[in-house]
């Protein structure tokens, strides 16, 4: 992978030398203490033991999906295969994960676990040239993140891939008769043509904002993310709702652009736009751009 160059500006230009020589446990401790700020993931447990191994860190993300973290300081260590092994174990032991969430976050959070998009985040000083190509052949949600330390107080995370895979079919989706809410897929298929057209245009715009953007189709909404979600979208019979990871205090609020910090809603973000016609498309695009730039 190409080396990033970071410079400190002043009377003299100084290049800050990078290092990936951080002790693996030191890196793990830093991430576990700041997991939500870095990755939008709520930390659950360190060194989570299973039958024949232990996961470095485990958490649950802003979409209520399980997340496994694996750390390696050297590019020749097989962090990807190890993470995939743990992910397959977790998919076969969902009850274990639910008990962990109950213990750490409570029964209410445990009931909201979404198994459609579990993922592995592999963090290493670097990856070899085969790694990114290899995960394209795997139908699993795997993120490769390279880290670098600069001096003693700067830490860089670089997302090296935007791997998008089809959501896993859950048991609830196999027996839709038991569901109270329609899934996102059902909502989209049954929505009026005009809302599908608007949704598709905004989806294409969000994905065009950068190579680091990926879409995740969850059970009830679609999320657009870099390392963390910056917007989520829902589609209904009478409107489209977009939640942005933006501060509502910075915007002039209306009936269609509202503060949802105290209102229950799906997806991420505190600022919500309700779209009922084509006239709101440009506003939606400007807010998507803002959310992308600020997250």
């Amino acid at each position: 992978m190409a080396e990033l160059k970071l410079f400190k500006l002043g009377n003299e230009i100084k290049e800050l030398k990078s290092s990936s020589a951080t002790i693996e446990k030191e890196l793990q401790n830093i991430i576990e203490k700041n997991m939500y700020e870095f990755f939008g993931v709520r930390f659950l447990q360190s060194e989570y033991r299973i039958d024949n191994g232990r996961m470095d860190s485990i958490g649950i993300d802003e979409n209520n999906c399980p997340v496994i973290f694996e750390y390696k300081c050297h590019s020749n260590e097989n962090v990807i295969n190890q993470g995939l092994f743990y992910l397959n174990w977790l998919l076969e032991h969902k009850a274990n994960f639910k008990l962990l969430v109950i213990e750490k976050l409570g029964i209410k959070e445990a009931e909201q676990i979404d198994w459609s998009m579990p993922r592995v985040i592999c963090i290493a000083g670097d990856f070899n040239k085969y790694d990114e190509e290899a995960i394209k052949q795997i139908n699993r949600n795997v993120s490769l993140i390279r880290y670098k330390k600069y001096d003693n107080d700067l830490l860089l995370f670089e997302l090296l891939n935007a791997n998008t895979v089809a959501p896993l079919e859950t048991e609830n989706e196999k027996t839709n008769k038991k569901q109270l809410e329609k899934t996102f897929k059902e909502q989209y298929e049954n929505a009026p043509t005009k809302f599908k057209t608007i949704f598709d245009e905004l989806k294409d715009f969000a994905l065009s904002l950068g190579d680091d953007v990926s879409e995740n189709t969850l059970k009830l909404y679609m999320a657009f993310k870099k390392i963390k979600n910056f917007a989520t979208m829902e589609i209904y019979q009478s409107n489209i709702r977009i939640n942005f990871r933006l501060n509502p205090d910075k915007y002039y609020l209306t009936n269609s652009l509202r503060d949802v910090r105290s209102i229950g809603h799906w997806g991420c973000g505190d600022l919500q736009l309700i779209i009922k016609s084509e006239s709101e498309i440009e506003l939606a695009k400007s807010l998507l751009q803002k959310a992308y730039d600020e997250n």
Side-chain angles (χ1 to χ4, degrees):
M1 302 293 178
E3 175 68 23
L4 291 176
K5 297 290 187 180
L6 184 65
F7 296 88
K8 184 175 183 179
L9 302 180
N11 293 331
E12 295 182 2
I13 301 296
K14 177 185 177 184
E15 181 180 354
L16 301 181
K17 297 299 183 181
S18 68
S19 169
S20 59
T22 303
I23 298 172
E24 184 179 324
K25 190 61 180 178
E26 177 188 349
L27 176 67
Q28 181 174 345
N29 289 339
I30 291 171
I31 290 175
E32 289 177 350
K33 290 178 181 177
N34 302 280
M35 192 173 282
Y36 191 80
E37 288 73 16
F38 290 154
F39 303 109
V41 176
R42 288 170 287 177
F43 171 65
L44 293 176
Q45 188 166 316
S46 181
E47 305 296 335
Y48 181 64
R49 291 189 175 275
I50 62 173
D51 299 334
N52 47 1
R54 58 184 180 185
M55 305 173 192
D56 288 344
S57 306
I58 191 167
I60 187 167
D61 71 12
E62 54 206 333
N63 301 316
N64 298 312
C65 296
V67 184
I68 297 167
F69 285 80
E70 287 297 312
Y71 316 95
K72 292 292 179 251
C73 292
H74 305 290
S75 60
N76 61 348
E77 295 179 85
N78 208 343
V79 62
I80 297 174
N81 285 350
Q82 190 170 325
L84 289 171
F85 172 81
Y86 292 145
L87 179 57
N88 288 336
W89 184 93
L90 201 63
L91 290 169
E92 295 173 357
H93 297 81
K94 295 178 181 178
N96 298 61
F97 183 76
K98 184 172 182 179
L99 286 173
L100 177 64
V101 175
I102 291 173
E103 176 187 343
K104 301 294 183 179
L105 302 177
I107 186 67
K108 183 177 179 181
E109 296 293 333
E111 294 299 331
Q112 296 178 21
I113 297 171
D114 188 338
W115 286 99
S116 63
M117 196 65 70
R119 58 186 170 128
V120 176
I121 296 180
C122 299
I123 302 177
D126 208 348
F127 295 89
N128 65 50
K129 63 182 180 180
Y130 303 109
D131 290 332
E132 192 169 348
E133 288 301 317
I135 63 171
K136 292 178 182 177
Q137 311 305 318
I138 303 167
N139 188 31
R140 288 289 184 266
N141 195 1
V142 180
S143 297
L144 303 183
I145 295 180
R146 180 172 68 170
Y147 80 91
K148 294 290 181 184
K149 281 195 71 179
Y150 291 87
D151 289 350
N152 294 319
D153 57 355
L154 294 176
L155 180 61
L156 169 76
F157 292 117
E158 181 186 7
L159 178 64
L160 300 180
N161 70 306
N163 201 37
T164 302
V165 300
L168 300 178
E169 187 178 25
T170 66
E171 290 302 317
N172 283 339
E173 288 167 344
K174 293 176 183 177
T175 55
N176 279 329
K177 293 179 181 179
K178 296 181 180 180
Q179 288 188 300
L180 296 178
E181 304 100 348
K182 289 184 179 180
T183 65
F184 169 81
K185 182 179 179 182
E186 291 171 327
Q187 293 281 16
Y188 181 86
E189 289 174 348
N190 296 324
T193 300
K194 75 169 186 175
F195 287 133
K196 287 184 182 179
T197 301
I198 294 172
F199 187 96
D200 291 344
E201 180 177 346
L202 293 176
K203 170 187 169 182
D204 290 343
F205 178 80
L207 293 174
S208 74
L209 291 172
D211 292 338
D212 54 349
V213 178
S214 63
E215 64 175 273
N216 284 174
T217 303
L218 284 304
K219 184 169 68 174
L220 299 173
Y221 57 88
M222 180 175 287
F224 298 93
K225 66 191 305 175
K226 295 194 281 186
I227 291 179
K228 297 193 291 187
N229 289 353
F230 64 87
T232 57
M233 291 174 57
E234 307 155 57
I235 186 169
Y236 299 101
Q237 288 290 313
S238 59
N239 61 62
I240 294 169
R241 299 187 182 193
I242 310 179
N243 298 316
F244 305 93
R245 191 183 288 280
L246 292 170
N247 183 355
D249 297 334
K250 296 181 179 180
Y251 296 88
Y252 178 75
L253 302 179
T254 64
N255 288 335
S256 60
L257 185 64
R258 59 182 192 161
D259 180 349
V260 292
R261 283 176 289 196
S262 59
I263 300 173
H265 62 284
W266 302 115
C268 78
D270 297 326
L271 183 69
Q272 183 181 83
L273 177 65
I274 301 175
I275 299 174
K276 295 183 178 180
S277 71
E278 293 85 351
S279 63
E280 285 125 346
I281 290 177
E282 292 308 312
L283 174 58
K285 288 182 177 179
S286 69
L287 292 171
L288 283 168
Q289 181 74 63
K290 282 275 190 184
Y292 171 82
D293 291 340
E294 293 182 16
N295 291 279

